[in-house]
Amino acid sequence: MALSLRLWRSLPLGRSAALGPRLPTGAAGSREQCVLWRLRGAEVIGNPGAFKRSLLFSALSYLGFEAYQVISQAAVVHAAAKVFRVEEILEQADYLYESGETGKLYQLLSQYKESEDAELLWRLARASRDKAQLSGTSEEEKKLLLYEALGYAKRALEKNESSFAAHKWYAICISDVGDYEGIRAKIANAYVIKEHFEKAIELNPKDATAIHLMGIWCYTFAEMPWYQRRIAKMLFATPPSSTYEEALGYFHRAEQVDPNFYSKNLLLLGKTYLKLHNKKLAAFWLTKAKDYPAHTEEDKQIQTEAAQLLTGFSDKN
């Protein structure tokens, strides 16, 4: 109504329109010009055709404003419904992930691969990666899925740079494709991987998984074979490096944030203590890994590895 009222006042029907625009006082011929404007205003009022056109314009303006209000309200309702829909999909996705339904999860999220939502995209990256790890996945399909996962993670990061999960899964996916890109690319990517793990931890210091993965990064470069170190020095002035002590710090920090959250963190605590020649603490953490309830195939593999390492202790003793 406010808009239509303003438009109505702009028409030559009211007092101001009849009087015409203000003229500078003292201007030559100002009285004659004022009289002329008054005459023109009177002509409009006395002209039925002009009056009808003015009235029609005002009515159309009012209808246009009403249509704008209806469209705006519809847009708000549509946006709210869209947000609700995304939340609903995320709930379904998280339920399937917790249930270990990798195939169904991938199938669900693949329907939304063109989404602009970062939360959907990083979950799709995770689902693609998990599907690649399934025993029934061929090597060719695995490679395609891992690069697909990297693409989704990259898009998630582009959509929301403040998402700790997007940073974490982008780093994970870069690491995964490193096996297909050669030693030079793999070492170069190590800097990028570290940067995004550190950013994920900065954004969410309570995410035990990101802290654990930073520990793996340190452990990997601490145990890098000598020939790879030599190649790294040839390719880069300052190749990435770390120590077992750094790795241990991250694994313990992850355990403090979320105790017993992951069997592999327990295993790596034991293995890191072995590297540091502390057999007593190594045995403690390896035993915890061996006794960890096996919910996944990975848990079973970790139980087996921990048991073998503990058996090695017994044999030596």
Side-chain angles (χ1 to χ4, degrees):
M1 279 299 296
L3 178 60
S4 60
L5 195 58
R6 288 197 297 272
L7 288 170
W8 181 273
R9 287 173 178 168
S10 71
L11 296 173
L13 295 175
R15 184 172 180 274
S16 61
L19 292 173
R22 291 185 178 181
L23 297 175
T25 57
S30 60
R31 181 171 297 187
E32 289 79 6
Q33 288 174 338
C34 286
V35 171
L36 181 61
W37 277 102
R38 288 192 185 98
L39 289 172
R40 286 178 178 171
E43 286 174 7
V44 171
I45 294 174
N47 186 334
F51 181 79
K52 287 179 181 178
R53 285 194 296 273
S54 300
L55 188 62
L56 178 61
F57 179 75
S58 178
L60 288 173
S61 298
Y62 173 76
L63 290 173
F65 178 66
E66 290 296 314
Y68 167 77
Q69 283 188 314
V70 171
I71 292 169
S72 297
Q73 290 170 359
V76 170
V77 171
H78 176 71
K82 187 176 180 182
V83 170
F84 176 77
R85 177 62 176 155
V86 170
E87 291 298 323
E88 187 181 8
I89 295 164
L90 295 180
E91 285 183 13
Q92 292 177 27
D94 290 344
Y95 173 78
L96 290 172
Y97 179 75
E98 293 298 329
S99 303
E101 297 283 358
T102 303
K104 291 180 181 178
L105 175 60
Y106 178 78
Q107 188 176 9
L108 168 69
L109 292 177
S110 291
Q111 299 174 65
Y112 308 102
K113 60 185 178 181
E114 301 303 326
S115 172
E116 299 296 310
D117 190 277
E119 293 296 305
L120 272 173
L121 289 168
W122 74 252
R123 283 172 171 83
L124 182 51
R126 181 180 65 183
S128 301
R129 181 182 184 273
D130 287 349
K131 191 170 187 292
Q133 307 298 331
L134 293 176
S135 57
T137 305
S138 68
E139 281 302 314
E140 184 179 351
E141 187 184 5
K142 179 180 179 179
K143 181 179 179 180
L144 289 172
L145 284 166
L146 290 176
Y147 275 99
E148 184 181 300
L150 177 59
Y152 295 137
K154 184 178 180 182
R155 281 175 55 206
L157 196 57
E158 289 169 353
K159 299 303 175 187
N160 185 4
E161 291 187 356
S162 298
S163 169
F164 81 93
H167 281 281
K168 177 172 70 177
W169 286 99
Y170 182 61
I172 291 170
C173 292
I174 290 178
S175 178
D176 287 337
V177 302
D179 293 334
Y180 302 102
E181 299 194 345
I183 187 67
R184 184 187 184 94
K186 197 169 185 177
I187 295 172
N189 285 339
Y191 294 102
V192 180
I193 293 166
K194 183 183 182 185
E195 176 188 339
H196 286 283
F197 280 149
E198 288 175 338
K199 187 64 178 178
I201 295 168
E202 177 190 326
L203 290 168
N204 185 4
K206 297 298 183 183
D207 182 43
T209 306
I211 300 169
H212 163 80
L213 291 168
M214 193 62 233
I216 289 181
W217 189 96
C218 294
Y219 187 94
T220 301
F221 283 98
E223 71 165 0
M224 181 184 280
W226 66 268
Y227 64 90
Q228 288 189 3
R229 290 182 188 278
R230 180 172 292 181
I231 294 171
K233 286 180 180 179
M234 290 171 62
L235 297 174
F236 303 96
T238 54
S241 63
S242 189
T243 64
Y244 291 118
E245 286 81 4
E246 282 184 283
L248 191 66
Y250 281 110
F251 294 141
H252 270 300
R253 182 177 166 187
E255 207 61 32
Q256 289 167 1
V257 168
D258 191 0
N260 296 315
F261 77 102
Y262 189 22
S263 59
K264 191 169 184 178
N265 199 64
L266 302 174
L267 176 70
L268 284 168
L269 275 163
K271 291 177 73 171
T272 307
Y273 273 116
L274 271 180
K275 295 288 187 181
L276 295 171
H277 310 291
N278 189 329
K279 292 184 179 180
K280 184 178 178 180
L281 285 174
F284 172 79
W285 290 105
L286 289 172
T287 301
K288 285 177 71 76
K290 179 179 71 70
D291 296 338
Y292 190 91
H295 299 295
T296 66
E297 190 63 34
E298 184 184 35
D299 289 335
K300 294 175 184 176
Q301 294 171 0
I302 285 168
Q303 282 182 341
T304 301
E305 185 177 353
Q308 289 172 347
L309 288 168
L310 286 167
T311 301
F313 282 7
S314 302
D315 292 344
K316 288 178 182 179
N317 292 335

